[in-house]
Amino acid sequence: MRPGRVIDLHMHTTASDGRSTPSQLVDEVVAMGITTMAVVDHDTTAGWDEVSAAAAVAGVACMPGIEITAVDHGRDVHMLGYCFDRNYPELVTFLSTQREDRTRRLREIGDRLARLGVPVDLQGAMAEAARSAGRAMGRPMAAAALVAAGHVASIREAFDRYLAEGRPAFIERQGAQPAAVVALVARAGGVTSLAHPGKTQKDHLIPDLVAAGLPAIEVYHPEHDAAETARYRQMADTFNLLVTGGSDYHGVGSGRSQGLGQFYLPAADFTRLAERTGWTIPC
Ligand code: AMP
Ligand code: ZN
Ligand code: FE
Ligand code: FE
């Protein structure tokens, strides 16, 4: 049974690799009966103003968020951040560097794909994206270009054959350690949550991250099965961590559109998070 209050703290918009603009996303959120939302675009807060304006009009509560890509031994570790000061200078500089590295990486992916004999047209999409201030580019743009060029039939196939970790067009990123992200978001007045740990497969990092001040983990996520959800719930209890969760919705056509309105955070967990962050409505 769905709760009276439906809380989804993990969604993406066109400010990063979601397919819905912030306003369109709020319309979808309303249609799905979600009452509290957080947009967590990759390495950018560029969607916040439009989300918060649209959410206010729609009567949806909105918590400010982000999904920062940290790196541990060459592998991506996604860190959610909530309720921080988006204008904190050190964070502004950090996020801008993160986005520059995303652009560098995408360019190298384009070069690599050409060498692999599957050339794509990424210039147009990158130039278009560069026109929106704060827009974070990412591999889904290369995936869409592979589909458009007819080299693969779907976004999923583009990742499976070329873009996923360990595949021939995977390019490593440069980025901060997860513990450095925890500390930076804390200095900016916010809290971090280790995103979808079941997908990241870096559980061995959790005790050290907790020691470094990690306040939360994402327990509810579409890529966690029932056993993983139970295990991370238990881990949150063991380490006295706050719990977050959401659908990781990227919009229709993203290859990752499952779950809007189906993956939500229990209200009791949200209340604890809201208390810790000092969150007030509206965002
Ligand atoms: P990046 O931010 O450049 O590292 O790209 C990662 C993003 O690509 C994820 O946040 C997803 O939106 C998307 N992604 C990763 N794997 C897949 C997949 N197998 N199918 C569709 N989208 C994917
Ligand atoms: Zn994404
Ligand atoms: Fe993620
Ligand atoms: Fe995400």
Side-chain angles (χ1 to χ4, degrees), residues 62-74:
C62 160
M63 179 177 260
I66 195 167
E67 185 169 18
I68 295 175
T69 304
V71 184
D72 177 76
H73 290 93

Side-chain angles (χ1 to χ4, degrees), residues 10 12 42 67 78 80 195-196 199 218 221 248 250 256:
H10 193 148
H12 296 269
H42 300 285
E67 185 169 18
H78 289 184
L80 300 163
H196 44 66
K199 188 179 162 191
E218 187 175 51
H221 186 276
D248 210 350
H250 279 73
R256 310 202 45 202

Side-chain angles (χ1 to χ4, degrees), residues 192 206-207 209-211 213-217 219 232-243 269 272 276:
T192 39
I206 293 174
L209 285 175
V210 171
L214 179 75
I217 55 173
V219 169
Y232 290 115
R233 179 98 236 171
Q234 177 65 49
M235 208 180 277
D237 288 345
T238 304
F239 290 110
N240 195 22
L241 294 167
L242 296 163
V243 168
D269 292 312
R272 278 190 286 274
R276 171 77 74 91

Side-chain angles (χ1 to χ4, degrees), residues 12 17-18 42-43 67 69 76 78 102 105-106 109 137-140 143 155-160 164 170 173 196 199 248 250 254-256:
H12 296 269
D17 58 3
H42 300 285
D43 294 319
E67 185 169 18
T69 304
D76 294 356
H78 289 184
R102 285 176 165 279
R105 187 181 186 219
L106 202 53
I109 289 173
M137 304 192 197
R139 280 177 288 168
I155 300 280
R156 188 153 293 276
E157 188 187 344
F159 274 91
D160 290 348
F170 180 81
R173 76 173 71 234
H196 44 66
K199 188 179 162 191
D248 210 350
H250 279 73
S254 64
R256 310 202 45 202

Side-chain angles (χ1 to χ4, degrees), residues 229-279:
T229 304
R231 192 155 63 80
Y232 290 115
R233 179 98 236 171
Q234 177 65 49
M235 208 180 277
D237 288 345
T238 304
F239 290 110
N240 195 22
L241 294 167
L242 296 163
V243 168
T244 72
S247 61
D248 210 350
Y249 182 69
H250 279 73
V252 177
S254 64
R256 310 202 45 202
S257 59
Q258 81 278 37
L260 190 66
Q262 290 167 43
F263 290 85
Y264 48 79
L265 179 67
D269 292 312
F270 181 73
T271 300
R272 278 190 286 274
L273 178 71
E275 276 168 15
R276 171 77 74 91
T277 57
W279 173 79

